[in-house]
C-alpha cells in the first residue's frame, strides 16, 4: 500500500497542491504548468507512486474546522477517489502551549507509525511537510527520520500567493487543472528521503515500538483523538532510544552474537536490526531459489566427473566425436551398436562394454547417437528410487550410474577438456559460485601424464573465463569471475600406487600453485583403515598439502576419528555418523575441522528423510541441525550436481527440507560464509574472498536483491 500523509492547519489548498503532484491520474492539477516537464521528471527521479490512501493529521480550532470543511467539499467534487482518513488532536486550538504542541506531536508520531506499518517494505510512505504550523511540519519531518519515508514533499511559491489559490481559494478551483498563471505560482518539490532509524526495531526491556504498543484509532473517515492514561508515550520512547542509541545497538549485537552458533558475514551486522531479525525469522523456502542463486557462494566438494547434466555431456561427446577420423567413429559405432538398437533398458553391466577399444570414443558414440529417452532410461531411470542406494541391490554403482558417460570415461580424450571446462564455468556463473573446488583423479584421466592433464584443464578453465590461481585474486574488475581450484583424489582401493600418485601430486603442486590446492581420500571406507595409509601421506604432510577425507558416509564415526587423527584431515567429506559421537563433535569444533555436507547425495546414497521424496519418509532425520547447534564448522556442497540433478542453491533448499525445524535465511548465510572460511587457499586470499563476497552480499541485501540476470558472473570468454 502507498500512503500520502499530510499535516493540515488553516490553509487547506496545500493538500490539493501536493495530491495533484503525486497523483496526476486522479487530479492533473499542473497540466498547464510552465514547468510540467520538470515536475514529471521529478516524479520519475524519485519513482513516486500514486497513493492508495490519503491521511491527514490536524489540530483543532475554528480555522482548522473551516479548512477541513473546504477540504471535504473538494474531495467530494473529485468523487472521493481514495479512502480519506483524518485524525484531529483534541484540545489543540492555536498550539499556544507546550501541552498542545506535545499532544499534536504524539498524534503525528502515532499516525506515522501506523502508516509505516501499513505500507510495509513494498509500499511507499510519502510525507507532505507543507501544511499546518511550523511545529507540525517539524513533527512530521521527525517522524520521517524515525520511521522512514520514501519522499518528503513541500510546496513553495511567491509571498504573497495569488488570492485565488490562497485566501479566496474555493474547492471548485482545485478540482480541475489550474490556469497557467496560477499553476506557475505553485512549485511542488521533493526535499529529500528518510531512512528508518534502526533503533526503533530493537526490543528494549521487552517493549517494541509498534502500533499495538502505541495505538491510534482507525479514522473512518474522521477521528478526534486525545491521549489517555497510557503510560510511556511514543514521543518519550523515541527520545529515550535516541539518547541511549549506542548502548541499545551494542546490546542488540551482543545478544545476537550470543544466540548465533556460527559467526555470520561481518558486513551483515551493519544491517538495520529489523532486517537482521527478518533474516533470522524467515524460513528458507522454495520461492527463495533465486535469492539463494544470486548470492556469492563457495562449493568445496564438487566432483569433476559428476558435474555435467545430460545436455552438457552430449556437447562434450559431440566435440570428441567431431575430432576423430571416420575409421575411429565406425569402430566406436560398431562397439555400441547393440545398445543403440535396444530401445528398452540395457543390461546392467552395459558400461563394461565401453571399456573395450577406445572408451572415450565409445562414450561419445552413445552421447551423439543414442536418443534422450534411451539415455535417460539407462543412466537414471534404471536405478529406481534414488533413496538409500548404497543399501540397494545394485549398491553404490546405482548412485554413480548417471555419470557413466562423464568424467574419466571421456576426459581421457584431449578434445573433451575444452568443452568440459566451458560447461563448468558456465555452470558456476549460472549458480552464483564465486569459488569452486573441483576434485578428481588425474591419474585416471591421463595415466601417462596426470600433471599434464591438470595443466590442460587449468588452461581450458582460464580460456572459458575463470580464475585458476591466487595471482590477482579479487582484483578490481575480477570480482565477478569465478575462482576455480582442484583437489587430487586418491582411491582407497588403489593403495598399491599411493606413493607414486602422491609423489606426482607433490611435484605438480609447485607449478600449479593456487590451482592444485589439496588431496582427498575417497572410495570404500572398509577397504583400508586410515592408520594403514598414514605412512603414504608423509610427503604430502611435509609439503603442508591440505587434506580432506571422505569418511562417515554411513560408516561408523570411528572412521571419521581415524581420518582426523592419522591423516590430519582439515575437512571431512560428509562425516554424517559424527552425530553418534558427541565427544568427537567437540573435538572437531575445537580443532576447526569442517564437514562438507551434500544433502541430495547423502539422501541418495545413505538415505535421509526428505518430504519431497515419499520413499524416504522412513529414513532417519538429517543431522545438520545437531551439527549446527553444536557449533561444528560445516558448509553445504553439491558433491555431484549432474548425478543428483541439483545446484548449490538447490542443496540449501534440500537442507532446509531435510533439517529439523528447517533453516532460516540467516543460518543459510552463515553456512555460505563457512564455505569461504574453509577454502584450501592461502590465508591472505581467503580473507580477500571473504571480504569481497561479504561486500556483495551486504550490497544485495541492503539495497534489495537485483534480478538474477543482472548478477550472474560476467562472461569473459
Amino acid at each position: 500500500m502507498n500512503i500520502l500523509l499530510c499535516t493540515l492547519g488553516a490553509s487547506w489548498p496545500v493538500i490539493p497542491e501536493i495530491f495533484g503532484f503525486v497523483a496526476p491520474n486522479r487530479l492533473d492539477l499542473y497540466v498547464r504548468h510552465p514547468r510540467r516537464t520538470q515536475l514529471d521528471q521529478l516524479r520519475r527521479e524519485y519513482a513516486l507512486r500514486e497513493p492508495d490512501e490519503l491521511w491527514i493529521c490536524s489540530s483543532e480550532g475554528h480555522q482548522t474546522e473551516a479548512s477541513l470543511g473546504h477540504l471535504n467539499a473538494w474531495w467530494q467534487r473529485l468523487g472521493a477517489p481514495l479512502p480519506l482518513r483524518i485524525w484531529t488532536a483534541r484540545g489543540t486550538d492555536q498550539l499556544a502551549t507546550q501541552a498542545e504542541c506535545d499532544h499534536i506531536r504524539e498524534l503525528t508520531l502515532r499516525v506515522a507509525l501506523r502508516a509505516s506499518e501499513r505500507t510495509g517494505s513494498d509500499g511507499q510512505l510519502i510525507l507532505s511537510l507543507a501544511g499546518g504550523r511550523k511545529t507540525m511540519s517539524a513533527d512530521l519531518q521527525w517522524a520521517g527520520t524515525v520511521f522512514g519515508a520514501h519522499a518528503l514533499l513541500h510546496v513553495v511559491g511567491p509571498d504573497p500567493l495569488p488570492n485565488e489559490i490562497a485566501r479566496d481559494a474555493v474547492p471548485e478551483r482545485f478540482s480541475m487543472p489550474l490556469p497557467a498563471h496560477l499553476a506557475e505560482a505553485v512549485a511542488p518539490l521533493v526535499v529529500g528521503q528518510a531512512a528508518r532509524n534502526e533503533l526503533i526495531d530493537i526490543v528494549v526491556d521487552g517493549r517494541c515500538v509498534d502500533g499495538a504498543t502505541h495505538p491510534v484509532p482507525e479514522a473512518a473517515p474522521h477521528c478526534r483523538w486525545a491521549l489517555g492514561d497510557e503510560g510511556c508515550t511514543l514521543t518519550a520512547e523515541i527520545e529515550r532510544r535516541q539518547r541511549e542509541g549506542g548502548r541499545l545497538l551494542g546490546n542488540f549485537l551482543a545478544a545476537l552474537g550470543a544466540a548465533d552458533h556460527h559467526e555470520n558475514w561481518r558486513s551483515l551486522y551493519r544491517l538495520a536490526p529489523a532486517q537482521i531479525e527478518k533474516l533470522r525469522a524467515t524460513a528458507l523456502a522454495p520461492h527463495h531459489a533465486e535469492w539463494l542463486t544470486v548470492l556469492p557462494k563457495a562449493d568445496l566438494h564438487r566432483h569433476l566427473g559428476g558435474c555435467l547434466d545430460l545436455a552438457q555431456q552430449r556437447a562434450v561427446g559431440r566435440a570428441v566425436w567431431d575430432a576423430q577420423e571416420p575409421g575411429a567413429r565406425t569402430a566406436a559405432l560398431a562397439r555400441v551398436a547393440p545398445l543403440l538398437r535396444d530401445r528398452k533398458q540395457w543390461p546392467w553391466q552395459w558400461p563394461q562394454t565401453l571399456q573395450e577399444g577406445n572408451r572415450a570414443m565409445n562414450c561419445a558414440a552413445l552421447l551423439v547417437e543414442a536418443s534422450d529417452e534411451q539415455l535417460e532410461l539407462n543412466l537414471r531411470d534404471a536405478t529406481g528410487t534414488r533413496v538409500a542406494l548404497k543399501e540397494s541391490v545394485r549398491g553404490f554403482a546405482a548412485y554413480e550410474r548417471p555419470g557413466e558417460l562423464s568424467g574419466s570415461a571421456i576426459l581421457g580424450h584431449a578434445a573433451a577438456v575444452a568443452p568440459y571446462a566451458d560447461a563448468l564455468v558456465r555452470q558456476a556463473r549460472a549458480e552464483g559460485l564465486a569459488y569452486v573446488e573441483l576434485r578428481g583423479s588425474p591419474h585416471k584421466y591421463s595415466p601417462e601424464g596426470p600433471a599434464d592433464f591438470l595443466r590442460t584443464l587449468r588452461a581450458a578453465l582460464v580460456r572459458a573465463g575463470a580464475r585458476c590461481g591466487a595471482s590477482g585474486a579479487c582484483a578490481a574488475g575480477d570480482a565477478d569471475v569465478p575462482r576455480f581450484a582442484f583437489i587430487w583424489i586418491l582411491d582407497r582401493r588403489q593403495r598399491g600406487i599411493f606413493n607414486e600418485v602422491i609423489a606426482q601430486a607433490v611435484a605438480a603442486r609447485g607449478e600449479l600453485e593456487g590451482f592444485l590446492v589439496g588431496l582427498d581420500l575417497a572410495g570404500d571406507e572398509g577397504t583400508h583403515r586410515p592408520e594403514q595409509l598414514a605412512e603414504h601421506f608423509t610427503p604430502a604432510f611435509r609439503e603442508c598439502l591440505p587434506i580432506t577425507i571422505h569418511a562417515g558416509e554411513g560408516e561408523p564415526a570411528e572412521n571419521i576419528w581415524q581420518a582426523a587423527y592419522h591423516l590430519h584431515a582439515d575437512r571431512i567429506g560428509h562425516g554424517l555418523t559424527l552425530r553418534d559421537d558427541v565427544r568427537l563433535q567437540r573435538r572437531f569444533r575445537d580443532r576447526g575441522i569442517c564437514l562438507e555436507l551434500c544433502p541430495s547425495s547423502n539422501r541418495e546414497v545413505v538415505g535421509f528423510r526428505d518430504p519431497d521424496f515419499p520413499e524416504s519418509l522412513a529414513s532417519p532425520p538429517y543431522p545438520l541441525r545437531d551439527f549446527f547447534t553444536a557449533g561444528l564448522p560445516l558448509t553445504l556442497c553439491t558433491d555431484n550436481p549432474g548425478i543428483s540433478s541439483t545446484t548449490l542453491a538447490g542443496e540449501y533448499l534440500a537442507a532446509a527440507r531435510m533439517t529439523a525445524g528447517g533453516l532460516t535465511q540467516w543460518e543459510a548465510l552463515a553456512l555460505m560464509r563457512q564455505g569461504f572460511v574453509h577454502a584450501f587457499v592461502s590465508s591472505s586470499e581467503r580473507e580477500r574472498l571473504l571480504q569481497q563476497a561479504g561486500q556483495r552480499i551486504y550490497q544485495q541485501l541492503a539495497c534489495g536483491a537485483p534480478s538474477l540476470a543482472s548478477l550472474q558472473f560476467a562472461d569473459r570468454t
Side-chain angles (χ1 to χ4, degrees), residues 102-178:
D102 290 345
H103 196 178
I104 190 69
R105 180 183 302 117
E106 181 71 15
L107 174 63
T108 301
L109 288 173
R110 292 192 182 213
V111 172
L113 170 59
R114 186 186 187 99
S116 72
E117 292 178 341
R118 285 283 184 90
T119 55
S121 59
D122 298 327
Q124 290 185 355
L125 174 57
I126 300 173
L127 305 182
S128 169
L129 311 181
R133 294 178 179 270
K134 291 181 179 179
T135 56
M136 296 172 66
S137 295
D139 292 340
L140 189 58
Q141 185 171 3
W142 183 37
T145 65
V146 173
F147 304 116
H150 183 81
L152 302 172
L153 307 185
H154 214 301
V155 179
V156 296
D159 189 13
L161 285 169
N163 287 337
E164 294 172 89
I165 56 173
R167 185 184 60 192
D168 299 331
V170 293
E172 292 82 358
R173 172 64 66 198
F174 287 94
S175 303
M176 60 188 70
L178 290 174

Side-chain angles (χ1 to χ4, degrees), residues 55 180 211 268 282 337 385 398 404 438 470 504 518 617 623 713:
W55 292 16
L268 296 190
T282 302
T385 301
E404 290 290 355
L438 298 170
Q504 291 172 329
L617 298 184
F713 292 111

Side-chain angles (χ1 to χ4, degrees), residues 437-664:
E437 285 181 0
L438 298 170
R439 60 181 68 191
S441 301
H443 55 285
K444 294 182 180 179
Y445 308 136
S446 180
E448 302 303 319
D452 290 336
F453 172 83
L454 285 178
R455 282 189 284 270
T456 301
L457 176 62
R458 180 181 63 176
L461 288 167
V462 171
R463 284 194 301 271
R467 286 185 294 118
C468 292
S471 177
C474 301
D478 282 345
D480 53 0
V481 178
R483 163 79 160 94
F484 277 79
F486 193 88
I487 296 173
W488 194 315
I489 296 179
L490 303 168
D491 190 330
R492 288 180 173 92
R493 296 164 294 187
Q494 295 183 318
R495 183 183 178 187
I497 63 171
F498 268 26
N499 289 341
E500 176 187 355
V501 173
I502 290 177
Q504 291 172 329
V506 169
R509 188 194 187 194
E511 180 189 350
L512 297 168
E513 184 75 31
F515 181 59
L516 178 56
V517 296
L519 289 180
D520 181 20
L521 180 64
D524 187 353
E525 292 182 53
T527 306
H528 296 289
R529 294 174 64 84
E531 70 265 26
Q532 298 172 310
L533 305 176
E535 60 178 307
H536 301 291
F537 278 75
T538 300
F541 299 153
R542 187 178 296 118
E543 292 298 318
C544 299
L545 262 175
I547 305 292
T548 179
I549 305 293
H550 279 71
E553 193 176 11
E555 300 297 331
E558 172 73 10
N559 289 29
I560 306 173
W561 178 84
Q562 292 278 348
Y565 183 78
H566 290 289
L567 300 181
H568 311 292
D570 300 283
R571 301 197 314 243
I572 295 292
H574 309 301
L576 300 164
T577 53
L578 193 62
R579 66 183 172 189
D580 302 327
D581 192 329
V582 175
R583 183 179 176 187
L584 188 57
Q585 288 181 31
R586 291 197 294 266
R587 183 66 170 161
F588 269 50
R589 181 193 61 208
D590 295 342
R591 287 186 58 184
I593 300 173
C594 180
L595 299 183
E596 307 158 354
L597 297 182
C598 310
S600 292
S601 76
N602 295 156
R603 181 199 68 240
E604 292 181 340
V605 175
V606 180
F608 290 99
R609 189 179 305 137
D610 183 338
D612 277 9
F613 291 79
E615 304 86 352
S616 74
L617 298 184
S619 300
Y622 199 54
L624 189 151
R625 177 58 62 190
D626 295 334
F627 296 158
F628 194 88
T629 55
L632 280 171
L634 71 159
T635 191
L636 299 181
C637 310
T638 55
D639 202 0
N640 292 283
I643 288 176
S644 297
S645 298
T646 190
T647 63
L648 191 51
E651 290 307 281
Y652 278 84
L653 294 176
R657 294 194 310 267
M658 296 165 63
T659 298
L663 287 175
T664 66

Side-chain angles (χ1 to χ4, degrees), residues 161-451:
L161 285 169
N163 287 337
E164 294 172 89
I165 56 173
R167 185 184 60 192
D168 299 331
V170 293
E172 292 82 358
R173 172 64 66 198
F174 287 94
S175 303
M176 60 188 70
L178 290 174
H181 72 284
L182 294 179
E184 187 175 15
V186 181
L189 52 89
V190 179
V191 297
Q193 296 176 302
R196 185 178 178 88
N197 190 321
E198 60 187 18
L199 299 174
I200 293 303
D201 300 305
I202 298 175
V203 177
V204 180
D205 299 334
R207 293 199 306 275
C208 301
V209 174
D210 57 27
T213 309
H214 301 92
V216 66
E218 184 77 24
H222 195 170
C223 166
R224 298 183 184 276
W225 179 83
L227 181 64
D229 185 14
E230 301 180 26
C232 179
T233 64
L234 180 55
T235 304
E237 181 65 23
I238 293 171
E239 289 174 339
R240 173 197 176 192
R241 287 170 183 254
Q242 291 180 332
R243 283 194 310 270
E244 302 178 7
R247 181 182 66 82
L248 296 179
L249 189 57
N251 289 346
F252 171 78
L253 294 176
L256 184 64
D260 283 349
H261 299 289
H262 293 276
E263 181 183 1
N264 222 309
W265 298 91
R266 298 168 192 167
S267 58
L268 296 190
Y269 295 97
R270 291 158 38 206
L271 292 173
Q275 190 169 5
I276 292 176
E277 292 297 354
K278 183 177 180 180
L279 291 168
R280 295 181 69 204
T282 302
L284 210 58
H287 66 270
H288 294 125
E290 183 170 327
W291 181 84
L292 289 164
T293 299
V294 300
L295 297 172
K297 299 173 292 298
D299 192 345
L300 304 185
H301 193 131
R302 197 176 185 100
H303 287 266
L304 178 63
C307 283
L308 307 192
D309 62 26
L310 184 55
Q312 293 164 335
Q313 292 178 45
R314 279 191 178 279
V316 174
R318 171 58 67 182
V320 171
W321 192 248
D322 291 344
Q324 291 303 301
E325 297 294 330
R329 297 182 197 172
T330 300
L333 281 173
R335 185 74 59 189
V336 302
L339 298 178
L340 293 175
R341 288 194 298 267
D342 190 349
R343 295 290 170 176
K344 298 180 181 179
Q345 187 168 320
W346 301 335
W348 181 257
Q349 301 301 331
W350 65 264
Q352 295 181 6
T353 65
L354 306 181
Q355 304 283 353
E356 303 171 12
N358 187 321
R359 185 186 181 195
M361 279 301 296
N362 295 338
C363 291
L366 281 182
L367 288 169
V368 170
E369 298 295 336
S371 68
D372 285 342
E373 292 75 15
Q374 284 178 302
L375 293 176
E376 286 288 351
L377 172 61
N378 291 286
L379 289 175
R380 190 170 299 279
D381 297 347
T383 64
T385 301
R386 296 191 65 79
V387 173
L389 292 172
K390 188 176 181 181
E391 304 303 322
S392 68
V393 175
R394 303 297 185 184
F396 192 74
Y399 167 73
E400 296 179 307
R401 182 50 51 94
E404 290 290 355
L405 301 178
S406 189
S408 60
I410 202 166
L411 275 172
H413 197 288
V417 179
Y420 212 104
D422 184 69
L424 293 172
V425 175
R426 291 181 183 277
Q427 206 174 54
R429 291 193 187 110
E431 293 186 38
L433 303 183
Y435 178 76
V436 185
E437 285 181 0
L438 298 170
R439 60 181 68 191
S441 301
H443 55 285
K444 294 182 180 179
Y445 308 136
S446 180
E448 302 303 319

